[in-house]
Amino acid sequence: LQPVKGSAQLRIKGDWRDHFNHPSKLSFRIKVGAPEYVFGMRRFSIQHPKTRKFQAELLLLEEMRRWDVLAPRYRFVDVRINDQPIGIMALEEHYSKELLEAQRRREGPIVVLDEDPMWRQRDLNYRVNADRVPGLDVNDVNVSPLDMPVRQFRQPGWMPGSTATTNSVRGLSLYRDFLDGRVAATDAFDLDKMARWWVLTNAWHGCHASETHNRRFYFNPTTNLLEPISFDNLPVPHKYRTLAAPCDDLVAPGLLLEPRFREQVLGFAETLVEAYQDPQWQADFRARQRRLMAYLALEHMHPSRLYLADVLENLAHFIERVDFAGAERHVVDATRDFPRKYPEAELHTRLRAFLYPVDSAGIAPGMVLQLKNLTSEPLSGLRVTLVENGETVSYTHLRAHET
């Protein structure tokens, strides 16, 4: 390969210590300057292969893309920083139009819950509350996933009437309305893509991806529906049978009563069993895994091997436990127990605020402001101010009681 030189921006990334435990294999988020690309990507991360379960993540992401479920491109690379050898790292594509175009999708918004309130409360717990509050669980927070704002990766500048802004508003609103119970799951998600993602995630036990704050969705402007993006799965197929129920308590429970979704889940599971029993595919899979593990072994990394027998057994186990008569998911407005359990703990976020149209169809004028108290005590001294063209039009004093 001919070396290519170009400008780039990079920063340290990662939520947990596994991203910086190794003295040299630190995790970075990298943005390559135009007009250059790296493996067809402009935005990607590099991290220790261990942070994503070595070859297991790569193999599952390849399976997702094989069955037309959106997933970032992922590979192992040899990294040098300032001519100093760092060694083998996992390169993971970040969210961009290149990710979508590489998988035959039109450019559209990728939406996610903003985890910032959760991480800021945990940081406050570690720094302040751990010494102040006896028995505190430092990972406990007062913010539920449904209290987190919805944001878009690389949201475009506000240009009313433009395609980018219109799709951004539609995607953000659809996900928010689903989370708040205003739109049914059957009207918000692509049933075929959700069925495939759900079956594959359970078959490979990539259930870390099903955590609500780990979910990423692409708003397809052609179908006006949300598609799942497989990400950060941490697959461990041999441990799946320890779960009490199939993973995903966000979307799937709201789809189980839909006959089309049931048919697609069962039909795809049957297709997958047949595909995984094909001798040629099994031989190719084993050869692919051997090559990846041999590459990792160059640096004395010896991860656990994935066995197809576990995946096939998980598929059977999954179908046995799916409750197609299960109840719909219900939106719960109650405040989390954290502020009641730890009344002396300092809180980073005390109030949730969301703005909605009076009429979700956009016919009737007007907006509704929803406030939710995230503490265990009434809040006072609240003021809502309306500013129009730089001028304060009106303001209202409020008192927010505990939900």
Side-chain angles (χ1 to χ4, degrees), residues 144-158:
S144 74
L146 300 185
D147 295 326
M148 299 177 189
V150 175
R151 67 178 178 89
Q152 176 184 344
F153 287 101
R154 278 172 295 287
Q155 189 166 352
W158 182 257

Side-chain angles (χ1 to χ4, degrees), residues 10 18 27 35 61 63 65 110 127 165 260 296 339 351 362:
L10 70 163
D18 58 329
S27 297
L61 293 177
E63 273 298 282
R65 290 193 297 275
I110 296 175
R127 291 187 296 104
T165 294
R260 290 175 298 157
L296 293 170
L351 192 70

Side-chain angles (χ1 to χ4, degrees), residues 199-259:
V199 173
L200 284 165
T201 298
N202 280 274
W204 290 67
H205 191 193
C207 293
H208 186 255
S210 68
E211 297 288 337
T212 302
H213 63 276
N214 284 336
R215 307 297 287 275
R216 280 94 171 104
F217 295 99
Y218 157 65
F219 175 74
N220 189 325
T222 302
T223 63
N224 294 324
L225 295 171
L226 296 167
E227 296 185 23
I229 301 178
S230 181
F231 163 76
D232 196 7
N233 298 280
L234 306 185
V236 280
H238 66 284
K239 293 185 178 181
Y240 179 72
R241 289 173 297 283
T242 62
L243 295 183
C247 52
D248 182 20
D249 58 2
L250 178 68
V251 179
L255 295 174
L256 288 177
L257 296 179
E258 170 57 50

